C-alpha cells in the first residue's frame, strides 16, 4: 500500500498513480503535485520567458492623464457647503423629534430626565454641525485667496 491508496479504488494496483492531485503537505514536507500516469516522462511546462523592456518609457499622452484642477465659482462652492450642513442640521432636528416621540418607560421624573438628555445630545450635535460649516466656509475663503497652510 502506498501513500496514494486513499485516492484509489480497491481494484487498482499500487503502481498506478491517480490523475493530477494537489495535496496539502504536512508542515514538515514541501508542497508537490502528483503527475498523472503516462505524463511523468514529459518535460514539465516551463513558463515563457518575458523579455525585459529596454526601450525608454514615456508618460502617457496628455489626453490619457488626469485633468488639472477645475475652476468653479466661489459662490457655487459656498452654496454646496451651506446646503450640505443645513441638511445635517435638519436631520438632527428630525432625529431629536423622533427620539422624543418614542414612548419612555418609567416614572415621570425619569421620563423628564431622559427627554432632557436627548435634547442635550442633539443640541450638541447641531452645534458641532454649525461649527463644521463655519470651518469649511473659512477654508474655502482662505483657499480662494491662495492660503493653503497656516504657519
Amino acid at each position: 500500500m502506498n501513500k496514494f491508496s486513499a485516492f484509489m479504488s480497491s481494484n487498482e494496483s499500487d503502481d498506478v498513480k491517480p490523475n493530477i492531485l494537489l495535496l496539502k503537505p504536512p508542515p514538515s514536507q514541501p508542497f508537490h503535485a502528483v503527475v498523472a500516469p503516462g505524463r511523468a516522462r514529459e518535460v514539465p511546462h516551463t513558463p515563457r520567458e518575458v523579455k525585459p523592456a529596454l526601450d525608454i518609457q514615456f508618460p502617457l499622452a496628455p489626453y490619457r492623464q488626469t485633468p488639472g484642477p477645475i475652476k468653479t465659482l466661489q459662490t457655487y462652492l459656498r452654496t454646496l457647503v451651506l446646503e450640505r450642513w443645513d441638511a445635517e442640521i435638519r436631520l438632527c432636528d428630525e432625529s431629536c423629534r423622533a427620539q422624543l416621540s418614542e414612548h419612555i418607560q418609567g416614572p415621570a421624573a425619569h421620563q423628564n430626565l431622559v427627554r432632557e438628555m436627548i435634547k442635550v445630545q442633539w443640541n450638541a450635535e447641531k452645534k458641532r454641525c454649525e461649527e463644521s460649516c463655519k470651518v469649511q466656509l473659512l477654508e474655502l475663503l482662505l483657499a480662494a485667496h491662495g492660503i493653503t497652510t497656516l504657519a
Side-chain angles (χ1 to χ4, degrees), residues 16 53 59-60 66:
V16 178
L60 296 174
T66 305

Side-chain angles (χ1 to χ4, degrees), residues 21-71:
L21 296 173
L22 297 177
L23 303 174
K24 183 177 179 188
S28 61
Q29 297 178 357
F31 180 81
H32 66 281
V34 179
V35 180
R39 301 195 113 214
R41 293 184 193 94
E42 294 179 17
V43 177
H45 174 70
T46 56
R48 190 171 40 146
E49 291 183 23
V50 179
K51 217 163 121 178
L54 299 176
D55 52 336
I56 299 172
Q57 299 289 324
F58 291 101
L60 296 174
Y63 58 88
R64 305 249 332 244
Q65 293 179 0
T66 305
I70 300 170
K71 296 186 184 238

